[in-house]
Amino acid sequence: GQQVMQIPQYQHVQEGEDFTTYCNSSTTLSNIQWYKQRPGGHPVFLIQLVKSGEVKKQKRLTFQFGEAKKNSSLHITATQTTDVGTYFCAGRGQGYSTLTFGKGTMLLVSP
Amino acid sequence: KAGVTQTPRYLIKTRGQQVTLSCSPISGHRSVSWYQQTPGQGLQFLFEYFSETQRNKGNFPGRFSGRQFSNSRSEMNVSTLELGDSALYLCASNGQASTDTQYFGPGTRLTVL
C-alpha cells in the first residue's frame, strides 16, 4: 500500500534559525496536505498542494510539491518559539483513496 | 460553526472490555474519518464514512468497527481491548470526501490497563 516517509523525525533549533522537513511518497499523489500539532493538541490543517511543482507561502512558511507529485517539503524561515510542534505531511492517492500521514517531524525551538 | 467534538475525552478500560467512542462532525460535513495516534506509529487511518457508508478502511483487525448515523455523527467501537490499543483516537470531518482537508477533533485518550 501507499507509504509516506517523513524526515527528520526530530529537530531542535535556536530561535531565528531555519527549519525544513521533507516528505516522500511511494506512489504518485493527487494532493498533499500539511498539518501542525502542538504539544497536547490535535492536528490543525496548514495547507494543501495539488499541482506538480506547486509552491505556496504562508508568511514564514514555504511549501513545495515535487514535479513528480511524490515528494514535498515545508520550510520555515527564522523560526520562532510559537513554531514548536509536530509537522505532518499527508498524501492522498488517486481517486477515493485514503489519506496517508507521515510520522511527523517534531520541532523544538529554543529562545 | 462549532468544531468537531469527541466524547469522552478520556477513558480507562481493562483488557478484554469493549469501548465506544463518539464523534460529531462540523455541521454540514458528511465525511468522518477515524485515526489512531500513538508515539511509535504516528497517525494511522482506521476508516472513513460518507453518508452512512464506509468508504475506506485501514489495516486494523476486525475488533475495530465503526458506523455513521443519518445526522453524520459517527461512532467507533473496539471490542476485546488489548494493551496495545492504548492511544489517542482522533476523529476528523471534511466537507467533501477525498478532496477537502481534515478538521480534527480534540481526540479521545484511551488507556487500557
Side-chain angles (χ1 to χ4, degrees), chain A residues 19 45 61 67 75 78 85:
Chain A
F19 160 78
F45 172 77
L61 277 62
E67 294 291 338
H75 179 82

Side-chain angles (χ1 to χ4, degrees), chain A residues 49-99:
Chain A
L49 304 172
V50 179
K51 299 176 184 176
S52 170
E54 189 170 13
V55 178
K56 286 189 176 180
K57 293 191 175 185
Q58 288 180 350
K59 297 182 180 178
R60 295 179 294 105
L61 277 62
T62 302
F63 304 83
Q64 295 189 35
F65 200 9
E67 294 291 338
K69 300 183 74 172
K70 293 180 74 172
N71 63 289
S72 181
S73 65
L74 157 60
H75 179 82
I76 302 179
T77 304
T79 55
Q80 300 175 358
T81 54
T82 53
D83 295 326
V84 164
T86 300
Y87 292 84
F88 294 94
C89 63
R92 177 87 72 183
Q94 303 300 318
Y96 293 120
S97 62
T98 63
L99 190 64

Side-chain angles (χ1 to χ4, degrees), chain B residues 13-69:
Chain B
K13 292 284 188 179
T14 56
R15 279 182 300 172
Q17 288 187 309
Q18 69 142 22
V19 67
T20 299
L21 312 181
S22 180
C23 171
S24 292
I26 292 172
S27 177
H29 285 192
R30 295 163 64 189
S31 174
V32 173
S33 298
W34 288 89
Y35 296 86
Q36 181 194 65
Q37 186 173 33
T38 57
Q41 297 299 318
L43 273 159
Q44 292 191 288
F45 172 76
L46 282 155
F47 23 68
E48 178 189 8
Y49 287 88
F50 182 78
S51 293
E52 302 179 66
T53 300
Q54 188 178 86
R55 185 168 226 159
N56 279 303
K57 189 177 189 304
N59 295 323
F60 278 81
R63 301 185 297 106
F64 292 81
S65 63
R67 58 178 175 168
Q68 187 179 33
F69 302 95

